[in-house]
Amino acid sequence: MIRFISKRLLTALPTLLIVAMLVFVMIRLIPGDPAALMLGDRTDPASLADLHRRLGLDQNIATQFVRWFGHVLRGDLGASIRTGEPVLPLVVNRFWVSAGIVVTAVALAALIAVPAGMIAAWRQNEALDVGIVSAATLLLSIPSFWLGLLLLYAFGLKLGWLPVVGYVAFSENPFAALLYIVLPVVTLVLHETGVLIRMARASTLEVLRLDYITNARAKGLSEPAILVRHAFRNAFGPTWTLIGLVFGNLFAGIAVIETVFTIPGLGRLLVDSIFGRDYPVIQGCLLFIAFTYVGTNLVVDLLYPLFDPRVTAQ
Amino acid sequence: MSALKPNVVIGGVLVGVVALAALVGMIWTPFNPLAVSFTARLAPPSELHWLGADEFGRDVLSRLMVAAATSARISLLTVVGALFAGTTVGLVAGYFQGWTDRILMALNNALLAFPGILLALGLLAIMGANEYGIILALGVAYSPSVARVVRGAVLSLRETDFVAASRIMDNSEIYTIVRHILPNCIAPLIVLATSMFGWALLAESALSFLGLGVPPPAATWGNMLAASRPFIAQAVWLGLFPGLCISLTLMGINLLGDALRDRLDPRMRGV
């Protein structure tokens, strides 16, 4: 068990390092001089040279990376060119806004999709299965930003049940906060349910064909007992891994939902910084989201043995 | 397989209709998709403007048809680019193994550690939003998946007798790869390419929706949706039809993709 954990942790380290290198190189590929960008139009050669020295831009690229990565490890992601705010607190604040929505949505989607997928597999090729699979394929094919727009039109504008745009922090007013995140969460739940149902169904189908299920049926166990006690534990693995991937992808793709509902989250920060050419913030967002992605997948892998002890034995 | 499954028929019809609309849109549209008309401003669907007109009085149907061609072109070029780059990397890594493999795969896995859309956003920040920027960004984002599939196939194919035979016959490495290994990677690549076409279409719409895709006044389904937002209360058709186009196209691709996977790759059946 300890060997499994430490081995998995060790494999994540080089990935994080290469990810950091990629983000660093990506931002350095941008044409132009970062120091000139930071100082704006009113620069004289002396202050430019001075800033070059302070930023370490007069050193070679490897030294620059080591220096930059050292700062990153100490939590220093630089400051925004536009506002001068330090990047890390900015990114972290916006992250919590997005995380609230993403975590709620993925949890709800999993709670709906896993039983639905298992029931579809149990009733394979019957009307119920065809219905569930069709619904899943339909949900999967509707882009979340369009679904969001439609829900906003129906429930916000036509029926007037929910606020149309904006965001209230949970700490300010918990009830209003809930009202504001209902539509974004429902949008994401509908879309991700479609993705997860198909996986839950496919992996349950595979398990239901195995001999030990036939054996359980032969010894007279009820169908619910077979599904819940025997099939679930073996069938849940692939869905669990996919939940981790869905998490990471949502953090990367949340910008569209935050645009539809005008939510000041991490995705919106990234897109606004791209428009504003605020490179330190872009870099900070990219790095933070990529690390979150690697981190979630790491946690997902580490929790895997809880319901499937076989993986630690490998 | 005797009769076609209903899924294949529905998927084929959906993709066929969009492809036809895109092809027709390349030579003829009911109106000039860029022509502004103040009298038709926010006109609801009518006999003249079948799907209504937008805030500049531009015909929605004409714009949707042109946008279909744009999206199809971007998605197709993205897939071709990703297939070419990914296959090359996968073949080289899988066939030569050793340090070449280790270095290429370390880079590949790091790229896979980025969600595709995030990598595309980062690259678009560098290159600026335009059609070729999107193709390059998405192509780079998707090629690691191709490389991984191809490398996996090559690793198992390398050990087969027919590859050993080709080497004993003194064929060059390149000849062996192209003539004997590559054709055996085609089936999984077709399945992957179909999915990638769907991913690219969705990603392009999302990026255009964010304003990081094809810049206006050129029409894409994504930027039409983005432009419809301020007018959604008065002119719901502006937001309805572009989204319907994206959804129906994606559904067609998903249905065809599932059918292809069932036929070509029995191991992944039903996933």
Side-chain angles (χ1 to χ4, degrees), chain A residues 104-120:
Chain A
T104 320
V106 174
L108 288 175
L111 284 177
I112 300 169
V114 172
M118 290 185 70
I119 290 171

Side-chain angles (χ1 to χ4, degrees), chain A residues 179-258:
Chain A
L179 276 187
Y180 276 95
I181 68 164
V182 169
L183 282 180
V185 166
V186 169
T187 308
L188 289 178
V189 167
L190 286 173
H191 187 261
E192 301 310 332
T193 302
V195 178
L196 292 176
I197 281 182
R198 288 157 56 101
M199 179 59 97
R201 176 180 176 272
S203 42
T204 310
L205 276 183
E206 237 160 63
V207 170
L208 287 180
R209 283 194 203 114
L210 299 179
D211 286 343
Y212 82 96
I213 297 287
T214 316
N215 185 51
R217 285 207 172 107
K219 74 182 186 188
L221 278 187
S222 72
E223 287 293 305
I226 291 171
L227 272 183
V228 175
R229 292 234 316 270
H230 294 271
F232 175 74
R233 279 184 67 121
N234 276 308
F236 186 57
T239 313
W240 176 243
T241 307
L242 185 65
I243 289 173
L245 293 172
V246 162
F247 249 113
N249 280 316
L250 274 184
F251 276 117
I254 190 80
V256 285
I257 288 293
E258 292 173 353

Side-chain angles (χ1 to χ4, degrees), chain A:
Chain A
M1 186 70 197
I2 290 166
R3 253 192 73 196
F4 167 76
I5 293 175
S6 46
K7 209 174 151 191
R8 187 61 189 79
L9 282 174
L10 278 177
T11 53
L13 286 179
T15 312
L16 287 178
L17 190 67
I18 299 178
V19 164
M21 278 182 198
L22 277 175
V23 170
F24 179 76
V25 171
M26 220 190 297
I27 297 300
R28 293 307 308 273
L29 282 176
I30 291 165
D33 177 355
L37 258 172
M38 283 182 185
L39 290 173
D41 299 331
R42 39 195 172 68
T43 43
D44 56 286
S47 52
L48 196 63
D50 180 51
L51 188 61
H52 266 232
R53 209 168 316 109
R54 274 193 291 134
L55 292 173
L57 291 174
D58 49 351
Q59 319 253 324
N60 68 37
I61 186 106
T63 320
Q64 284 185 42
F65 173 74
V66 170
R67 197 184 141 121
W68 172 79
F69 197 57
H71 283 290
V72 169
L73 288 180
R74 273 172 274 147
D76 176 9
L77 292 176
S80 159
I81 294 177
R82 281 185 302 172
T83 62
E85 265 179 285
V87 171
L88 188 66
L90 185 67
V91 168
V92 170
N93 278 338
R94 299 295 201 96
F95 169 76
W96 287 119
V97 174
S98 305
I101 294 168
V102 169
V103 171
T104 320
V106 174
L108 288 175
L111 284 177
I112 300 169
V114 172
M118 290 185 70
I119 290 171
W122 179 49
R123 287 273 170 249
Q124 191 188 5
N125 293 337
E126 290 174 26
L128 186 64
D129 176 37
V130 174
I132 291 178
V133 171
S134 311
T137 309
L138 182 70
L139 289 174
L140 182 80
S141 307
I142 301 178
S144 57
F145 47 98
W146 186 54
L147 189 61
L149 217 55
L150 291 182
L151 291 176
L152 191 138
Y153 178 74
F155 293 99
L157 292 171
K158 281 283 137 177
L159 297 169
W161 292 355
L162 291 161
V164 179
V165 288
Y167 176 79
V168 173
F170 198 75
S171 51
E172 274 173 43
N173 181 347
F175 181 69
L178 282 180
L179 276 187
Y180 276 95
I181 68 164
V182 169
L183 282 180
V185 166
V186 169
T187 308
L188 289 178
V189 167
L190 286 173
H191 187 261
E192 301 310 332
T193 302
V195 178
L196 292 176
I197 281 182
R198 288 157 56 101
M199 179 59 97
R201 176 180 176 272
S203 42
T204 310
L205 276 183
E206 237 160 63
V207 170
L208 287 180
R209 283 194 203 114
L210 299 179
D211 286 343
Y212 82 96
I213 297 287
T214 316
N215 185 51
R217 285 207 172 107
K219 74 182 186 188
L221 278 187
S222 72
E223 287 293 305
I226 291 171
L227 272 183
V228 175
R229 292 234 316 270
H230 294 271
F232 175 74
R233 279 184 67 121
N234 276 308
F236 186 57
T239 313
W240 176 243
T241 307
L242 185 65
I243 289 173
L245 293 172
V246 162
F247 249 113
N249 280 316
L250 274 184
F251 276 117
I254 190 80
V256 285
I257 288 293
E258 292 173 353
T259 304
V260 172
F261 296 103
T262 344
I263 296 164
L266 190 55
R268 212 41 248 183
L269 178 68
L270 173 59
V271 173
D272 288 339
S273 315
I274 293 177
F275 283 129
R277 303 187 161 269
D278 197 340
Y279 295 117
V281 182
I282 299 177
Q283 201 170 35
C285 289
L286 289 177
L287 199 66
F288 198 87
I289 298 173
F291 273 29
T292 311
Y293 189 67
V294 177
T296 359
N297 286 320
L298 181 69
V299 172
V300 163
D301 280 4
L302 290 178
L303 291 179
Y304 204 109
L306 284 183
F307 53 85
D308 192 350
R310 283 172 304 184
V311 289
T312 44
Q314 283 168 9

